[in-house]
Amino acid sequence: MHNKTKSVTIFDVADLAGVSKSTVSLVLTQSDKVSDKSKQKVLKAIDALGYVYNRDAAAMRSRRSNLVAIIINNLNDPYMAQLATSIEHLLNENGLQAMILSSNNNLERQKNAVKSLKEYNAAAFIICPVAHTCGKWLDTLSEQYKVITLMREVPFSVAPCVLPDYKKASHLACMHLLAQGVTHIAFMGHELTLSDSQALQSGFKSACSQHNVTPLVTIACDQNQPLDAENAFIKAYKKQPQLNAVVCANDIVAHGVITAIHSLNIPAKHNINVASCHHLPHYTVMPDNVSTVVINADDIAKRCHLVLQELLQNISPPVKTLVNVNLQIRDSSQ
């Protein structure tokens, strides 16, 4: 019988289970390279001996912990919070520990969060980058750690990114409106020079080109807020009263546009159709009748996890992974 006053080692587990030390190590690191039969033998031996796996010591030996740092640009955004939760769940299921921080859409906070998390010897960084994140800064981080960016592509960076197919999202929304015969259509969004907004505008323009329609001048909101969108639309409509359709960057912008349409008392014969390129679940002030493109947070999380697995196995994933999107048609564009 094993002497429990003596520290139990991995060799004791291997001896009792009748397997090699390497097999025990594979079980402890939750590798899928071990048969179920061997795994059960090891787990039974661990329970019998009371062996405790020291992950900190293992991390020091491998120079990598099981910690994955997730830096979200805005945890107050219900969609981003859902995305972070989905990623955390997948990581935990696979023996990795998530640490979630918010950069609050601030470049300096993003840099400080990364700097602090380096001290924990993180295995990887998953970052939803703040607007105007420097590609060189991101690439320097990628030389030292496994790095993935989500939801926004950082131009000229070699770090793999996982993001929705924004171009398809706006193309679907715009094609749906154009199929109804609208001829005076505009795109509306915030921070129009960012990569995600540029992709949305590209899809919008490709749909217009396909229908031989010349789009109206793009409408810019000062902030991604309903009131800013409402004011921007009212100002644009007064200059372009022929406007009869709007493709909005997201549900927040669409909410502001719909509110503006109601406040302008536009005659029923001059109906203005509205579609959104990004549905925001749990956005409580958004009416349920807006036609919108659904970008599934769970799908983004799953693709992110697959890319992370490739990185941790030293396999080079694609630089850009696009996740499919789907249009839901509702009253706002009928």
Side-chain angles (χ1 to χ4, degrees):
M1 186 175 180
H2 181 77
N3 181 7
K4 292 195 176 183
T5 61
K6 176 186 173 184
S7 178
V8 180
T9 70
I10 193 172
F11 295 100
D12 298 320
V13 175
D15 184 56
L16 183 60
V19 299
S20 67
K21 171 184 171 293
S22 60
T23 298
V24 177
S25 296
L26 288 171
V27 173
L28 292 172
T29 56
Q30 300 187 15
S31 171
D32 57 3
K33 297 179 180 180
V34 185
S35 68
D36 288 340
K37 185 177 180 180
S38 295
K39 181 179 179 181
Q40 291 307 316
K41 286 182 178 179
V42 171
L43 293 176
K44 187 176 179 180
I46 287 173
D47 287 340
L49 296 173
Y51 175 74
V52 178
Y53 180 43
N54 190 331
R55 292 191 181 275
D56 289 337
M60 290 180 67
R61 290 193 297 271
S62 66
R63 302 190 68 186
R64 193 187 83 192
S65 69
N66 71 332
L67 176 69
V68 176
I70 304 173
I71 302 175
I72 300 295
N73 54 13
N74 184 9
L75 279 174
N76 290 323
D77 181 332
Y79 182 87
M80 300 305 286
Q82 181 184 347
L83 177 59
T85 300
S86 296
I87 296 172
E88 180 183 28
H89 178 71
L90 286 170
L91 293 175
N92 289 344
E93 279 190 338
N94 289 273
L96 294 169
Q97 182 65 45
M99 180 178 286
I100 303 173
L101 294 179
S102 175
S103 61
N104 200 29
N105 282 314
N106 182 286
L107 272 173
E108 196 61 31
R109 284 190 63 170
Q110 178 177 266
K111 291 180 180 178
N112 288 337
V114 168
K115 184 178 179 181
S116 297
L117 288 166
K118 282 182 179 180
E119 298 174 4
Y120 290 88
N121 192 29
F125 285 86
I126 298 173
I127 303 173
C128 293
V130 170
H132 312 298
T133 295
C134 176
K136 185 176 180 180
W137 171 80
L138 193 64
D139 287 349
T140 299
L141 181 65
S142 299
E143 291 172 359
Q144 303 169 320
Y145 299 89
K146 312 296 185 184
V147 178
I148 302 170
T149 59
L150 291 183
M151 302 304 293
R152 173 176 290 146
E153 184 179 7
V154 176
F156 311 114
S157 173
V158 299
C161 66
V162 178
L163 64 162
D165 193 340
Y166 290 119
K167 185 174 181 178
K168 180 179 179 180
S170 58
H171 187 89
L172 288 174
C174 189
M175 287 291 285
H176 168 64
L177 296 181
L178 292 169
Q180 298 176 61
V182 300
T183 54
H184 298 89
I185 188 168
F187 176 84
M188 186 169 181
H190 168 58
E191 292 191 311
L192 301 177
T193 60
L194 296 182
S195 60
D196 41 342
S197 182
Q198 289 285 309
L200 289 173
Q201 293 173 72
S202 177
F204 168 77
K205 291 174 183 176
S206 70
C208 289
S209 176
Q210 195 167 325
H211 275 261
N212 295 315
V213 169
T214 301
L216 300 179
V217 175
T218 300
I219 305 169
C221 310
D222 290 335
Q223 299 293 328
N224 188 38
Q225 297 294 336
L227 182 59
D228 290 275
E230 179 183 354
N231 293 334
F233 180 82
I234 291 172
K235 184 178 179 180
Y237 182 75
K238 288 178 179 178
K239 292 181 179 179
Q240 302 175 106
Q242 73 274 32
L243 183 68
N244 57 14
V246 187
V247 175
C248 301
N250 55 49
D251 283 4
I252 295 174
V253 175
H255 174 212
V257 170
I258 291 172
T259 302
I261 291 171
H262 291 159
S263 69
L264 287 168
N265 295 316
I266 297 171
K269 64 179 181 180
H270 186 64
N271 185 46
I272 299 178
N273 291 346
V274 178
S276 162
C277 298
H278 188 182
H279 175 54
L280 301 175
H282 313 304
Y283 182 52
T284 54
V285 296
M286 185 67 219
D288 293 332
N289 63 345
V290 64
S291 291
T292 187
V293 175
V294 175
I295 299 172
N296 191 297
D298 288 339
D299 289 345
I300 298 286
K302 288 174 184 175
R303 295 296 287 273
C304 173
H305 184 253
L306 288 174
V307 172
L308 177 61
Q309 287 180 317
E310 290 181 317
L311 286 175
L312 293 177
Q313 294 170 24
N314 294 316
I315 300 172
S316 297
V319 174
K320 184 190 297 187
T321 300
L322 296 180
V323 177
N324 195 30
V325 298
N326 297 285
L327 176 67
Q328 288 190 354
I329 301 171
R330 299 186 179 124
D331 295 343
S332 71
S333 62
Q334 296 287 353

